[in-house]
Amino acid sequence: MRRLIVWRHGETEHNVGGLWQGQLDTDLSPRGLDQARESAQPLAALRPTRIVSSDLRRAAHTAAVLGEVTGLPVEYDERLREIHVGAWQGLSQGDVAEKYPDAAAALARGEDIVRGEHGESVAHVEERVMAAAQEILVGLPAEGAAVIATHGVTARTLVAALIGLPQRQAWLSIGGLRNCHWAELAEHRTGWRMTAWNVGVSESVISTSDR
């Protein structure tokens, strides 16, 4: 069977500070690089045959570590970027709750709104990330395994779409991937199944913010 590993990037300073990153092109923190190095060994043991990454640095640099361990080239696709959060980029969760109380309340209810006035909704993310995933799958042979290095919201959106879980339910009921944690999916004759969620590095080097 074919497999997909959907991998969230390592920690950034924005994660540590609880800031919305969206499509800001931030770098890994020193701990984030350690997370990538620690994650690379168990991911390599899953025998990936292809690595495709968001082109934002925090994901691309995470994927590069796995590329070095496996010897596989890393491909880049901007459709794997994080959700664009518009005017919220660089703001804390508290800032957003204060400046955009109606939007924050809507998100808490599971409504899929455009983030930050001119950003994206999850529906927008699903459309672009599924287009990228379908192209990856077209070239993935039987028994192949692709690692997709991406971001918190994008990862959950992709996994939910592939397994047929409504996005609102996923938003409200599935905790976000921790930094450098991943989901494992396997293709069966009835479709894709999630076989593992939030697999990853030791607790000593994780960060939990999924913005």
Side-chain angles (χ1 to χ4, degrees):
M1 67 181 72
R2 300 190 300 175
R3 293 171 293 133
L4 284 177
I5 297 97
V6 182
W7 187 26
R8 187 187 175 204
H9 63 79
E11 179 196 86
T12 69
E13 296 300 338
H14 277 60
N15 292 142
V16 176
L19 303 178
W20 287 86
Q21 290 177 101
Q23 295 189 6
L24 292 177
D25 201 7
T26 54
D27 289 308
L28 295 176
S29 66
R31 186 166 72 160
L33 185 56
D34 287 343
Q35 291 170 341
R37 290 168 176 156
E38 184 172 343
S39 297
Q41 295 301 328
L43 281 171
L46 296 176
R47 304 184 309 281
T49 56
R50 188 176 181 185
I51 304 170
V52 187
S53 174
S54 158
D55 63 340
L56 295 178
R57 291 196 300 269
R58 58 191 185 272
H61 292 172
T62 300
V65 176
L66 180 60
E68 291 172 1
V69 171
T70 61
L72 293 171
V74 179
E75 305 165 55
Y76 304 97
D77 193 324
E78 66 180 17
R79 293 173 295 180
L80 300 176
R81 289 181 178 184
E82 181 59 296
I83 187 170
H84 198 304
V85 295
W88 298 356
Q89 293 188 160
L91 299 182
S92 69
Q93 187 173 12
D95 291 335
V96 170
E98 180 180 350
K99 296 179 180 181
Y100 303 90
D102 292 342
L107 285 183
R109 293 191 297 268
E111 297 178 24
D112 187 23
I113 62 170
V114 168
R115 276 64 167 171
E117 301 177 22
H118 58 271
E120 292 180 304
S121 66
V122 169
H124 293 135
V125 176
E126 180 177 355
E127 181 178 4
R128 62 172 165 82
V129 76
M130 281 297 289
Q134 293 301 333
E135 289 183 14
I136 293 168
L137 292 173
V138 165
L140 191 64
E143 305 301 324
V147 173
I148 296 176
T150 184
H151 309 265
V153 174
T154 305
R156 181 165 48 192
T157 300
L158 174 59
V159 170
L162 286 169
I163 66 175
L165 183 67
Q167 294 295 343
R168 183 176 186 274
Q169 184 176 349
W171 182 265
L172 293 174
S173 62
I174 300 179
L177 288 176
R178 297 184 179 97
N179 285 116
C180 257
H181 281 54
W182 60 88
E184 298 175 20
L185 294 90
E187 187 180 35
H188 294 257
R189 60 183 180 83
T190 56
W192 287 92
R193 298 179 183 177
M194 182 170 64
T195 58
W197 177 259
N198 250 334
V199 182
V201 298
S202 63
E203 294 298 313
S204 64
V205 290
I206 68 169
S207 175
T208 57
S209 174
D210 67 350
R211 289 179 292 279

